[in-house]
Amino acid sequence: MPFLPCLLLFFSLFLNISLSQTPPKGFFLDCGATSSSTIDGLSWIPDSEFISTGTAKNLTTPVLAQTLSTVRSFPLQDKKNCYNFLVYSGARYMVRTTYFYGGVNGPDHPSPPVFDQMVDGTFWSVVNTTADYANGNYTNYEGVFLAQGKTMTICIGSNTYTDSDPFISALQLVILGGSLYNATDFDKYGLSLVARHNFGYSGPPIRYPDDQFDRFWAPFTPSNSSHSGSSNASVSGIWNLPPSKIFDTWLGSDQLESLHLAWPEALLPNSNYSIALYFADYSGSSSGRPRILNISVNGIRYYNGLNVTEAGVVVFANLWPLSGPTTITLDPASTSPLGPLISAGEIFQMLPLGGRTLTRDVIALEKIKESLQNPPRDWNGDPCMPRQYSWTGVTCSEGTNIRIVNLNLTSMNLSGSLSPYVANLTALTNIWLGNNNLSGQIPDLSSLRMLETLHLEDNQFTGEIPSSLGNISRLNEL
């Protein structure tokens, strides 16, 4: 069963958050750029400090925005490439990725590649920009995710359906106020934006500085029921902090008739969704008469007896199951002398989080990576998650406590040394590092009590074989 919708009035006593138009805090990366720029009050920086893979490229085709003139391109054979950010653990971040192909992969690939994107260990979405690019447009993807540690990774992945080099044009990571979307259990779910619209509005998307977090509110004018005016709504108390400008337009009328809204326009995959609907009565329209309405989603009652006032109101629900076409129906209540109206809406798909590799194991593998001169190219992001993007040579345990259980880098032409941090991978049962060019001493592995197999032959190790290996009772192949 879905969570029942909640009602929230715009009373400023709920929050003590400054609504000053300071730029949003976070990271604004112009991928592939070599210099910083300021566009519409937002400071964009090159992405090279946040990623060590890929190649910066310039587009030769005309673009709609400055941040689309360059991309970072990733070799098709690299399974996973990740941006790494230092973040505030426990904070919520809006992540927005932007893609404009511009024919960067050459004339043999006129259409953009289709690939995947991930946040930490969670599969976020397939990136398919084909339709937008055919119409000369760029494509945005937006989500909200919890920082589960001191770092957050945003990754691009090549899948079986990827036929040329993946790329990215821009990447934003914006810290959100603690009240935003707080009905969601972010320890279990991330949010992937499906649609965010300002109903009755026909201008360019509303964003910063109107929206202090630079969220995009797209226009939506499906019929002649669109209206505009001056709203008296105050947003200082609404937890999602929408821009006040969204309440200057609406769909609906004073007539006592139902309003049927086919929204969002896209067919939805079978999943659970988070829905927020925004309402404000326009100034002077009611003359003291209440505007009360009932809300249904695909014929299922969403909210009863909503009293829409000039101050503004929002109703929201999580874990609402939807599939295929969606229709929002607003009916005037039997006691209402006025018809329904609506100003804006947001809908997110709720993504179950994919889990994370145990931090101790991640740190150990990162140290091993640093000790190798030529580690596998896909050793980026979470080592185990998503499962289809685990690191080359790494096998992980099942369940919620995700550990590294096998390390197999046989015959990979590795050079460098074997970091002593390998001894921190205490769930290891098998190590195969034979037929490489590893040098230096063999570290003490006595802490690996689960170890059954150890292959280090055909390398350039020096010094003695540690006698402590004889104390590992399960070790039966050396």
Side-chain angles (χ1 to χ4, degrees), residues 23 44 94 104 120 144 154 161 214 237 239 250 256 295 309 376 426 456 465 472:
W44 293 83
M94 180 192 76
V104 69
D120 290 332
V144 180
I154 314 299
Y161 37 72
D214 197 36
W239 292 351
W250 60 89
L256 291 175
I295 309 169
T309 66
T426 53
L456 301 176
I465 297 176
I472 303 176

Side-chain angles (χ1 to χ4, degrees), residues 238-377:
I238 181 174
W239 292 351
N240 287 350
L241 296 176
S244 59
K245 190 174 181 178
I246 68 169
F247 297 102
D248 291 341
T249 60
W250 60 89
L251 297 176
S253 71
D254 290 343
Q255 301 299 315
L256 291 175
E257 56 188 17
S258 298
L259 174 62
H260 301 280
L261 185 62
W263 179 86
E265 295 175 304
L267 299 179
L268 300 181
N270 185 16
S271 187
N272 289 321
Y273 293 84
S274 175
I275 309 170
L277 303 175
Y278 300 83
F279 308 84
D281 206 352
Y282 47 94
S283 177
S285 67
S286 59
S287 302
R289 295 183 296 167
R291 187 186 300 272
I292 304 173
L293 54 92
N294 300 322
I295 309 169
S296 299
V297 178
N298 288 349
I300 299 174
R301 188 50 54 90
Y302 183 83
Y303 198 90
N304 271 328
L306 177 66
N307 186 13
V308 179
T309 66
E310 290 186 21
V313 63
V314 60
V315 290
F316 55 89
N318 279 333
L319 293 173
W320 194 275
L322 293 172
S323 178
T326 305
T327 299
I328 310 293
T329 301
L330 309 178
D331 296 309
S334 59
T335 57
S336 178
L338 297 171
L341 54 76
I342 185 171
S343 289
E346 293 179 285
I347 182 168
F348 295 86
Q349 184 178 5
M350 302 188 70
L351 303 176
L353 296 184
R356 289 166 60 99
T357 307
L358 185 74
T359 301
R360 173 189 174 98
D361 284 9
V362 175
I363 294 174
L365 278 177
E366 290 288 354
K367 293 295 184 180
I368 294 171
K369 177 183 177 180
E370 291 175 5
S371 71
L372 299 175
Q373 295 180 9
N374 53 340
R377 294 171 63 93

Side-chain angles (χ1 to χ4, degrees), residues 17 54 67 75 87 101 135 196 222 227 275 294 322 344 378 388 390 392 408 423:
I17 297 178
T67 54
V87 293
Y101 178 52
N135 292 322
R196 180 188 290 117
H227 301 279
I275 309 170
N294 300 322
L322 293 172
D378 65 352
Q388 66 269 39
S390 61
T392 294
N408 186 353

Side-chain angles (χ1 to χ4, degrees), residues 97-164:
T97 53
T98 302
Y99 302 93
F100 181 72
Y101 178 52
V104 69
N105 290 340
D108 291 339
H109 301 281
S111 295
V114 179
F115 47 93
D116 298 334
Q117 59 183 358
M118 296 148 269
V119 176
D120 290 332
T122 299
F123 183 91
W124 179 7
S125 72
V126 174
V127 176
N128 189 342
T129 67
T130 305
D132 284 337
Y133 182 65
N135 292 322
N137 296 323
Y138 58 90
T139 305
N140 286 317
Y141 292 86
E142 183 185 313
V144 180
F145 299 92
L146 180 73
Q148 301 179 53
K150 295 180 180 180
T151 61
M152 182 178 285
T153 58
I154 314 299
C155 304
I156 303 297
S158 296
N159 212 318
T160 54
Y161 37 72
T162 309
D163 60 3
S164 65

